[in-house]
């Protein structure tokens, strides 16, 4: 293949951006070099879908750490924080960007001999490509059903290079487990892969008023023992990875950010190297790699004491996770742990310029993809526990109250439905209707209380919303005697249900806020 760069991610306009000045003469998309050198003039990234932006952020964090020297902290975390604060004021160094990226230019070519984040060996090690429809998430491939558009394997539509990068990133970070294309390496011939390191997760990214602020806020201090010549990103290794090598521990944060990938891909360009017409997609490593301990996810502990990442849920609004971002140890039986990145965000900026963007992909653990998930909080990190502990705790209590009445409402309508239909308590249409009525209104109440910092008696507002939702959903059957009895009996669940007493004393409603 010609050594000339064909689709250089350093210069090709593949990253969508929003500029701080809002003028129309600015380009809507830029290459990696412009993105980094003008990060102070860029307001935010305009990249989608949500998991593609989540993956791109991790790549950009790694590059930012490298060009700023924040990839090491040999003198300890305090000195690292001081250097980061100085960089916030001085802005990106164009010379440093060039010095890092120019020697690696060939590895940032999407279709070169060492294509960006791909394995050129797949053209020989795989008997055939998987097809461009397999590459593009949301397209039907093989015998799958058509949902978002009509695409056929007999006449596949190519995708432009910029879009192909997004799907490449999503496969590496969110790819499925199970059956994949056959790949033969030496005497090993396998056709299965483990799931990507972020599959089914929701991650949280601090965002400032400029991309430069966002990238610096997203960095985490490395351990003092980390060395940049060992903590390498995939494009920095001299050789391609050995897919049969035993998994080893990550030597630092950059290898964790850009490691853990279980899949290997190779994009096939058209003759002009502007579009992708086909793709090889297969396993990239035998056996599961160690966890990356990602600093942008919320960790929870199951009732059995096992830690797990809070999954992405398209039906769960972002406000229900806010206290897990503000508090070190939020209330609740599952004891969520705040993403590590937020431990030092307050050391970068003293005002309230930082908001939080949630990005994820609702999926099962194997192959089923459900929906992209995205949300953004107001600029509220000035309310973190380290700054205003009483307010942060009150916000946590507010969230708990909202969750409490949401659960009680769900149980109440399920019980009413079951009693009317002489059935077991289970999911039903009423539960979906009640949730659709309650949760959007609960979100409005939550944010209005947070903005006003008014937390006195806030639980009454959630209880009122639950009562209104219950009455609306059960209005029809309440007109019959049988329905009215069942509905009023189940209504007690809104207030905590019935509490049995000793002996034969009739049950009474449990007192509850």
């Amino acid at each position: 293949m010609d050594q000339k760069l064909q689709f250089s991610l350093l210069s090709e306009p593949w990253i969508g951006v929003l500029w701080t000045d809002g003028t129309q003469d600015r380009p809507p998309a830029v290459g990696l070099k412009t993105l980094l050198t003008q990060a102070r003039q860029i307001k935010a990234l305009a990249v989608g879908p949500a998991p593609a932006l989540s993956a791109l952020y991790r790549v950009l964090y790694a590059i930012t750490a490298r060009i700023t020297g924040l990839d090491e902290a040999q003198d300890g975390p305090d000195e690292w924080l001081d250097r980061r604060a100085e960089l916030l004021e001085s802005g990106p160094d164009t010379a440093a960007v060039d010095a890092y990226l120019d020697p690696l230019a060939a590895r940032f070519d999407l279709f070169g001999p060492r294509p960006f984040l791909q394995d050129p060996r797949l053209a020989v090690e795989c008997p055939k490509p998987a097809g461009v429809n397999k590459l593009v998430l949301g397209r039907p491939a093989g015998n799958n059903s058509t949902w978002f558009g009509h695409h056929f394997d007999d006449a596949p539509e190519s995708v432009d290079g910029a879009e192909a990068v997004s799907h490449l990133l999503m496969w590496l970070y969110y790819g499925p487990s199970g059956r994949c294309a056959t790949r033969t390496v030496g005497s090993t011939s396998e056709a299965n892969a483990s799931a990507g390191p972020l599959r089914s997760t929701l991650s949280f990214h601090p965002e400032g008023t400029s991309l430069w602020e966002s990238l610096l806020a997203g960095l985490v201090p490395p351990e003092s023992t980390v060395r940049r010549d060992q903590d390498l990103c995939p494009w920095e290794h001299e050789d391609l990875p050995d897919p049969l090598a035993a998994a080893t521990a990550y030597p630092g944060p950059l290898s964790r950010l850009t490691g853990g990938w279980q899949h290997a891909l190779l994009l096939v360009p058209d003759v002009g190297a502007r579009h992708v017409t086909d793709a090889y997609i297969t396993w990239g490593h035998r056996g599961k790699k160690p966890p990356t301990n990602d600093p942008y996810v919320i960790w929870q502990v199951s009732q059995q004491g096992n830690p797990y990442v809070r999954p992405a849920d398209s039906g769960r609004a972002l406000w229900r996770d806010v206290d897990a971002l503000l508090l070190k140890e939020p209330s609740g039986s599952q004891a969520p742990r705040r993403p590590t990145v937020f431990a030092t965000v307050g050391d970068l900026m003293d005002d309230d310029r930082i908001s939080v963007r949630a990005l994820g992909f609702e999926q099962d653990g194997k192959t089923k993809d459900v929906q992209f998930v995205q949300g953004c909080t107001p600029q509220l990190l000035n309310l973190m526990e380290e700054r205003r502990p009483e307010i942060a705790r009150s916000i946590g209590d507010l969230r708990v109250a909202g969750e409490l009445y949401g659960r009680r409402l769900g149980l109440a309508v399920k019980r009413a439905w079951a009693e009317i239909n002489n059935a077991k308590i289970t999911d039903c249409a009423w539960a979906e209707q009640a949730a659709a009525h309650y949760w959007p209104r609960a979100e409005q109440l939550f944010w209005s209380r947070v903005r006003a910092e008014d937390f006195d008696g806030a639980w009454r507002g959630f209880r009122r919303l639950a009562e209104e939702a219950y009455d609306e959903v059960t209005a029809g059957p309440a007109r019959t005697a049988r329905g009215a009895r069942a509905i009023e009996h189940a209504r007690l669940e809104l207030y905590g249900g019935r509490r049995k007493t000793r002996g034969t004393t009739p049950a009474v409603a449990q007192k509850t806020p």
Side-chain angles (χ1 to χ4, degrees), residues 17-23 26-27 38-44 208-213:
V17 295
L18 301 174
W19 297 89
T20 55
D21 57 16
T23 57
R26 296 277 198 173
Q38 299 191 32
R40 294 183 82 174
Q41 288 73 50
I42 295 173
K43 180 179 180 181
T209 58
S210 73
L211 178 61
W212 186 241
E213 290 182 357

PDB file of all heavy atoms in Angstrom, residues 17-23 26-27 38-44 208-213:
ATOM      1  N   VAL A  17     -17.521  19.818  16.136  1.00  0.00           N
ATOM      2  CA  VAL A  17     -17.251  20.718  17.258  1.00  0.00           C
ATOM      3  C   VAL A  17     -18.241  21.879  17.264  1.00  0.00           C
ATOM      4  O   VAL A  17     -18.841  22.216  16.244  1.00  0.00           O
ATOM      5  CB  VAL A  17     -15.811  21.281  17.199  1.00  0.00           C
ATOM      6  CG1 VAL A  17     -14.789  20.179  17.382  1.00  0.00           C
ATOM      7  CG2 VAL A  17     -15.572  22.025  15.894  1.00  0.00           C
ATOM      8  N   LEU A  18     -18.384  22.484  18.443  1.00  0.00           N
ATOM      9  CA  LEU A  18     -19.109  23.740  18.628  1.00  0.00           C
ATOM     10  C   LEU A  18     -18.099  24.768  19.125  1.00  0.00           C
ATOM     11  O   LEU A  18     -17.367  24.504  20.085  1.00  0.00           O
ATOM     12  CB  LEU A  18     -20.245  23.575  19.640  1.00  0.00           C
ATOM     13  CG  LEU A  18     -21.313  22.525  19.307  1.00  0.00           C
ATOM     14  CD1 LEU A  18     -22.287  22.383  20.477  1.00  0.00           C
ATOM     15  CD2 LEU A  18     -22.063  22.896  18.039  1.00  0.00           C
ATOM     16  N   TRP A  19     -18.068  25.937  18.491  1.00  0.00           N
ATOM     17  CA  TRP A  19     -17.080  26.958  18.829  1.00  0.00           C
ATOM     18  C   TRP A  19     -17.628  27.906  19.879  1.00  0.00           C
ATOM     19  O   TRP A  19     -18.839  28.172  19.942  1.00  0.00           O
ATOM     20  CB  TRP A  19     -16.678  27.728  17.576  1.00  0.00           C
ATOM     21  CG  TRP A  19     -16.018  26.871  16.544  1.00  0.00           C
ATOM     22  CD1 TRP A  19     -16.633  26.173  15.541  1.00  0.00           C
ATOM     23  CD2 TRP A  19     -14.621  26.573  16.436  1.00  0.00           C
ATOM     24  NE1 TRP A  19     -15.708  25.465  14.807  1.00  0.00           N
ATOM     25  CE2 TRP A  19     -14.459  25.703  15.336  1.00  0.00           C
ATOM     26  CE3 TRP A  19     -13.494  26.963  17.153  1.00  0.00           C
ATOM     27  CZ2 TRP A  19     -13.215  25.218  14.936  1.00  0.00           C
ATOM     28  CZ3 TRP A  19     -12.251  26.486  16.752  1.00  0.00           C
ATOM     29  CH2 TRP A  19     -12.122  25.627  15.669  1.00  0.00           C
ATOM     30  N   THR A  20     -16.740  28.440  20.702  1.00  0.00           N
ATOM     31  CA  THR A  20     -17.170  29.327  21.785  1.00  0.00           C
ATOM     32  C   THR A  20     -17.723  30.643  21.264  1.00  0.00           C
ATOM     33  O   THR A  20     -18.614  31.232  21.879  1.00  0.00           O
ATOM     34  CB  THR A  20     -15.997  29.614  22.740  1.00  0.00           C
ATOM     35  OG1 THR A  20     -14.887  30.126  21.989  1.00  0.00           O
ATOM     36  CG2 THR A  20     -15.567  28.349  23.464  1.00  0.00           C
ATOM     37  N   ASP A  21     -17.194  31.139  20.129  1.00  0.00           N
ATOM     38  CA  ASP A  21     -17.669  32.436  19.632  1.00  0.00           C
ATOM     39  C   ASP A  21     -18.945  32.316  18.809  1.00  0.00           C
ATOM     40  O   ASP A  21     -19.594  33.321  18.527  1.00  0.00           O
ATOM     41  CB  ASP A  21     -16.576  33.136  18.813  1.00  0.00           C
ATOM     42  CG  ASP A  21     -16.089  32.282  17.641  1.00  0.00           C
ATOM     43  OD1 ASP A  21     -16.773  31.308  17.275  1.00  0.00           O
ATOM     44  OD2 ASP A  21     -15.017  32.592  17.096  1.00  0.00           O
ATOM     45  N   GLY A  22     -19.310  31.116  18.407  1.00  0.00           N
ATOM     46  CA  GLY A  22     -20.564  30.901  17.698  1.00  0.00           C
ATOM     47  C   GLY A  22     -20.636  31.489  16.303  1.00  0.00           C
ATOM     48  O   GLY A  22     -21.723  31.556  15.722  1.00  0.00           O
ATOM     49  N   THR A  23     -19.527  31.897  15.721  1.00  0.00           N
ATOM     50  CA  THR A  23     -19.565  32.488  14.386  1.00  0.00           C
ATOM     51  C   THR A  23     -19.781  31.406  13.332  1.00  0.00           C
ATOM     52  O   THR A  23     -19.436  30.247  13.525  1.00  0.00           O
ATOM     53  CB  THR A  23     -18.259  33.236  14.087  1.00  0.00           C
ATOM     54  OG1 THR A  23     -17.158  32.316  14.234  1.00  0.00           O
ATOM     55  CG2 THR A  23     -18.076  34.394  15.056  1.00  0.00           C
ATOM     56  N   ARG A  26     -16.645  29.396  11.126  1.00  0.00           N
ATOM     57  CA  ARG A  26     -15.827  28.337  11.703  1.00  0.00           C
ATOM     58  C   ARG A  26     -16.237  26.990  11.097  1.00  0.00           C
ATOM     59  O   ARG A  26     -17.424  26.742  10.854  1.00  0.00           O
ATOM     60  CB  ARG A  26     -16.025  28.279  13.210  1.00  0.00           C
ATOM     61  CG  ARG A  26     -15.558  29.527  13.948  1.00  0.00           C
ATOM     62  CD  ARG A  26     -14.070  29.464  14.209  1.00  0.00           C
ATOM     63  NE  ARG A  26     -13.665  30.403  15.250  1.00  0.00           N
ATOM     64  CZ  ARG A  26     -12.457  30.456  15.766  1.00  0.00           C
ATOM     65  NH1 ARG A  26     -11.526  29.618  15.334  1.00  0.00           N
ATOM     66  NH2 ARG A  26     -12.151  31.330  16.704  1.00  0.00           N
ATOM     67  N   PRO A  27     -15.307  26.075  10.884  1.00  0.00           N
ATOM     68  CA  PRO A  27     -15.669  24.760  10.333  1.00  0.00           C
ATOM     69  C   PRO A  27     -16.450  23.929  11.349  1.00  0.00           C
ATOM     70  O   PRO A  27     -16.139  23.959  12.553  1.00  0.00           O
ATOM     71  CB  PRO A  27     -14.311  24.125  10.021  1.00  0.00           C
ATOM     72  CG  PRO A  27     -13.352  24.808  10.942  1.00  0.00           C
ATOM     73  CD  PRO A  27     -13.847  26.223  11.072  1.00  0.00           C
ATOM     74  N   GLN A  38      -6.609  24.277  19.300  1.00  0.00           N
ATOM     75  CA  GLN A  38      -7.624  25.312  19.482  1.00  0.00           C
ATOM     76  C   GLN A  38      -8.678  24.896  20.505  1.00  0.00           C
ATOM     77  O   GLN A  38      -9.822  25.355  20.454  1.00  0.00           O
ATOM     78  CB  GLN A  38      -8.276  25.643  18.144  1.00  0.00           C
ATOM     79  CG  GLN A  38      -7.296  26.177  17.108  1.00  0.00           C
ATOM     80  CD  GLN A  38      -7.987  26.747  15.887  1.00  0.00           C
ATOM     81  OE1 GLN A  38      -9.086  27.298  15.961  1.00  0.00           O
ATOM     82  NE2 GLN A  38      -7.343  26.623  14.740  1.00  0.00           N
ATOM     83  N   ALA A  39      -8.294  24.052  21.435  1.00  0.00           N
ATOM     84  CA  ALA A  39      -9.251  23.531  22.408  1.00  0.00           C
ATOM     85  C   ALA A  39      -9.872  24.623  23.274  1.00  0.00           C
ATOM     86  O   ALA A  39     -10.987  24.467  23.774  1.00  0.00           O
ATOM     87  CB  ALA A  39      -8.573  22.483  23.288  1.00  0.00           C
ATOM     88  N   ARG A  40      -9.167  25.750  23.458  1.00  0.00           N
ATOM     89  CA  ARG A  40      -9.738  26.840  24.260  1.00  0.00           C
ATOM     90  C   ARG A  40     -10.820  27.593  23.491  1.00  0.00           C
ATOM     91  O   ARG A  40     -11.682  28.240  24.090  1.00  0.00           O
ATOM     92  CB  ARG A  40      -8.646  27.817  24.698  1.00  0.00           C
ATOM     93  CG  ARG A  40      -7.645  27.228  25.639  1.00  0.00           C
ATOM     94  CD  ARG A  40      -6.626  28.250  26.098  1.00  0.00           C
ATOM     95  NE  ARG A  40      -7.119  29.065  27.195  1.00  0.00           N
ATOM     96  CZ  ARG A  40      -6.376  29.964  27.850  1.00  0.00           C
ATOM     97  NH1 ARG A  40      -5.123  30.163  27.487  1.00  0.00           N
ATOM     98  NH2 ARG A  40      -6.874  30.654  28.838  1.00  0.00           N
ATOM     99  N   GLN A  41     -10.769  27.542  22.167  1.00  0.00           N
ATOM    100  CA  GLN A  41     -11.766  28.222  21.339  1.00  0.00           C
ATOM    101  C   GLN A  41     -12.951  27.310  21.003  1.00  0.00           C
ATOM    102  O   GLN A  41     -13.931  27.759  20.417  1.00  0.00           O
ATOM    103  CB  GLN A  41     -11.139  28.715  20.035  1.00  0.00           C
ATOM    104  CG  GLN A  41     -10.204  29.905  20.199  1.00  0.00           C
ATOM    105  CD  GLN A  41      -8.883  29.532  20.836  1.00  0.00           C
ATOM    106  OE1 GLN A  41      -8.233  28.580  20.388  1.00  0.00           O
ATOM    107  NE2 GLN A  41      -8.477  30.266  21.867  1.00  0.00           N
ATOM    108  N   ILE A  42     -12.855  26.040  21.351  1.00  0.00           N
ATOM    109  CA  ILE A  42     -13.928  25.079  21.098  1.00  0.00           C
ATOM    110  C   ILE A  42     -14.747  24.913  22.367  1.00  0.00           C
ATOM    111  O   ILE A  42     -14.198  24.653  23.441  1.00  0.00           O
ATOM    112  CB  ILE A  42     -13.346  23.728  20.638  1.00  0.00           C
ATOM    113  CG1 ILE A  42     -12.654  23.895  19.276  1.00  0.00           C
ATOM    114  CG2 ILE A  42     -14.433  22.667  20.551  1.00  0.00           C
ATOM    115  CD1 ILE A  42     -11.900  22.663  18.821  1.00  0.00           C
ATOM    116  N   LYS A  43     -16.049  25.075  22.223  1.00  0.00           N
ATOM    117  CA  LYS A  43     -16.935  24.963  23.388  1.00  0.00           C
ATOM    118  C   LYS A  43     -17.134  23.514  23.799  1.00  0.00           C
ATOM    119  O   LYS A  43     -17.069  23.172  24.987  1.00  0.00           O
ATOM    120  CB  LYS A  43     -18.277  25.620  23.075  1.00  0.00           C
ATOM    121  CG  LYS A  43     -19.277  25.567  24.211  1.00  0.00           C
ATOM    122  CD  LYS A  43     -20.587  26.258  23.818  1.00  0.00           C
ATOM    123  CE  LYS A  43     -21.600  26.214  24.960  1.00  0.00           C
ATOM    124  NZ  LYS A  43     -22.872  26.868  24.572  1.00  0.00           N
ATOM    125  N   ALA A  44     -17.446  22.659  22.814  1.00  0.00           N
ATOM    126  CA  ALA A  44     -17.743  21.265  23.130  1.00  0.00           C
ATOM    127  C   ALA A  44     -17.616  20.423  21.876  1.00  0.00           C
ATOM    128  O   ALA A  44     -17.564  20.940  20.756  1.00  0.00           O
ATOM    129  CB  ALA A  44     -19.152  21.130  23.714  1.00  0.00           C
ATOM    130  N   GLY A 208     -16.428  21.543  31.025  1.00  0.00           N
ATOM    131  CA  GLY A 208     -16.322  22.953  31.355  1.00  0.00           C
ATOM    132  C   GLY A 208     -16.897  23.829  30.270  1.00  0.00           C
ATOM    133  O   GLY A 208     -17.657  23.377  29.406  1.00  0.00           O
ATOM    134  N   THR A 209     -16.530  25.096  30.285  1.00  0.00           N
ATOM    135  CA  THR A 209     -17.051  26.036  29.298  1.00  0.00           C
ATOM    136  C   THR A 209     -16.249  26.005  28.003  1.00  0.00           C
ATOM    137  O   THR A 209     -16.610  26.672  27.040  1.00  0.00           O
ATOM    138  CB  THR A 209     -17.045  27.459  29.871  1.00  0.00           C
ATOM    139  OG1 THR A 209     -15.705  27.807  30.262  1.00  0.00           O
ATOM    140  CG2 THR A 209     -17.959  27.550  31.078  1.00  0.00           C
ATOM    141  N   SER A 210     -15.160  25.246  27.975  1.00  0.00           N
ATOM    142  CA  SER A 210     -14.387  25.037  26.752  1.00  0.00           C
ATOM    143  C   SER A 210     -13.899  23.601  26.739  1.00  0.00           C
ATOM    144  O   SER A 210     -13.856  22.924  27.778  1.00  0.00           O
ATOM    145  CB  SER A 210     -13.202  25.993  26.681  1.00  0.00           C
ATOM    146  OG  SER A 210     -12.187  25.616  27.605  1.00  0.00           O
ATOM    147  N   LEU A 211     -13.522  23.129  25.560  1.00  0.00           N
ATOM    148  CA  LEU A 211     -13.007  21.765  25.460  1.00  0.00           C
ATOM    149  C   LEU A 211     -11.722  21.618  26.264  1.00  0.00           C
ATOM    150  O   LEU A 211     -11.477  20.554  26.844  1.00  0.00           O
ATOM    151  CB  LEU A 211     -12.766  21.412  23.992  1.00  0.00           C
ATOM    152  CG  LEU A 211     -12.173  20.026  23.727  1.00  0.00           C
ATOM    153  CD1 LEU A 211     -13.103  18.935  24.227  1.00  0.00           C
ATOM    154  CD2 LEU A 211     -11.865  19.843  22.246  1.00  0.00           C
ATOM    155  N   TRP A 212     -10.901  22.646  26.307  1.00  0.00           N
ATOM    156  CA  TRP A 212      -9.663  22.578  27.083  1.00  0.00           C
ATOM    157  C   TRP A 212      -9.963  22.329  28.558  1.00  0.00           C
ATOM    158  O   TRP A 212      -9.308  21.492  29.208  1.00  0.00           O
ATOM    159  CB  TRP A 212      -8.879  23.868  26.899  1.00  0.00           C
ATOM    160  CG  TRP A 212      -7.519  23.877  27.538  1.00  0.00           C
ATOM    161  CD1 TRP A 212      -7.085  24.720  28.516  1.00  0.00           C
ATOM    162  CD2 TRP A 212      -6.418  23.010  27.241  1.00  0.00           C
ATOM    163  NE1 TRP A 212      -5.783  24.448  28.845  1.00  0.00           N
ATOM    164  CE2 TRP A 212      -5.335  23.406  28.079  1.00  0.00           C
ATOM    165  CE3 TRP A 212      -6.236  21.957  26.355  1.00  0.00           C
ATOM    166  CZ2 TRP A 212      -4.102  22.760  28.047  1.00  0.00           C
ATOM    167  CZ3 TRP A 212      -4.998  21.306  26.330  1.00  0.00           C
ATOM    168  CH2 TRP A 212      -3.957  21.717  27.173  1.00  0.00           C
ATOM    169  N   GLU A 213     -10.936  23.040  29.094  1.00  0.00           N
ATOM    170  CA  GLU A 213     -11.340  22.793  30.479  1.00  0.00           C
ATOM    171  C   GLU A 213     -11.846  21.363  30.645  1.00  0.00           C
ATOM    172  O   GLU A 213     -11.525  20.687  31.632  1.00  0.00           O
ATOM    173  CB  GLU A 213     -12.432  23.780  30.897  1.00  0.00           C
ATOM    174  CG  GLU A 213     -11.971  25.211  31.044  1.00  0.00           C
ATOM    175  CD  GLU A 213     -13.078  26.137  31.495  1.00  0.00           C
ATOM    176  OE1 GLU A 213     -14.238  25.665  31.651  1.00  0.00           O
ATOM    177  OE2 GLU A 213     -12.795  27.323  31.711  1.00  0.00           O
TER     178      GLU A 213
END
